[in-house]
Amino acid sequence: MDAALWVAVIALAAVFIPSGFVHLVRGKARSIELGQEWANDFEDKHVRLIGAAEIVGSIAVVLFPIIGFIPWIVPVAAAGLMVIAGGATFVHIRRGDPLANITVPALLMVIALIVFVGRIGEFSLGS
C-alpha cells in the first residue's frame, strides 16, 4: 500500500509543482497566456498565493515522509491540496467550462484525499 501512496504523492507533486511555479513566479498574466482563463476571475496576488500553496503543499507531501519529521504535516498538506483542487473544480463548474477542465482538478482532489487517508496518524495505511 505504501507504494500506491507514493505513486499518488508523485502524481500530485508532478502536477502541482510546475503549476504552482507558473502561478507564483509568473502570475496572472502568464497563466492567462497559457490558456488558464480562470485566472481572469482573480487578482494577480490571489493567483500567486494559489501558486505558493500548491508548491508548499506538494513539497510537504513529498519531503516530510522521506525525512520522517513532523508526521502530521503530510495529512494537513494533503488536505490543503484537496481544498485547492476542490476550489478549482468549483471555479470551473461556476464558469461553465468544458468537462475536461472540471475533471482534472476533481481527479486531483480524489488523489489528495487518498494521500490524506493513507497518511493520517495511527490509521496510516503506509505504516
Side-chain angles (χ1 to χ4, degrees):
M1 184 56 84
D2 197 44
L5 287 174
W6 277 110
V7 169
V9 164
I10 291 167
L12 288 175
V15 173
F16 279 117
I17 290 176
S19 172
F21 180 79
V22 169
H23 298 146
L24 177 63
V25 176
R26 303 298 299 272
K28 177 180 177 174
R30 181 65 176 149
S31 295
I32 294 169
E33 286 175 18
L34 293 173
Q36 298 178 353
E37 295 297 322
W38 62 266
N40 284 317
D41 296 350
F42 297 90
E43 295 180 26
D44 185 62
K45 63 183 175 184
H46 297 139
V47 172
R48 291 179 188 273
L49 181 62
I50 291 168
E54 289 172 333
I55 293 170
V56 169
S58 297
I59 290 172
V61 296
V62 172
L63 185 62
F64 281 88
I66 292 171
I67 62 175
F69 184 66
I70 315 176
W72 57 266
I73 287 289
V74 178
V76 170
L81 293 175
M82 276 191 307
V83 169
I84 292 169
T89 303
F90 176 76
V91 167
H92 287 299
I93 290 170
R94 186 192 68 199
R95 289 177 49 84
D97 287 346
L99 185 59
N101 291 6
I102 298 167
T103 306
V104 173
L107 180 60
L108 289 171
M109 184 174 58
V110 170
I111 294 170
L113 175 63
I114 291 167
V115 173
F116 174 79
V117 170
R119 296 286 188 209
I120 188 137
E122 67 188 45
F123 302 108
S124 176
L125 301 174
S127 296

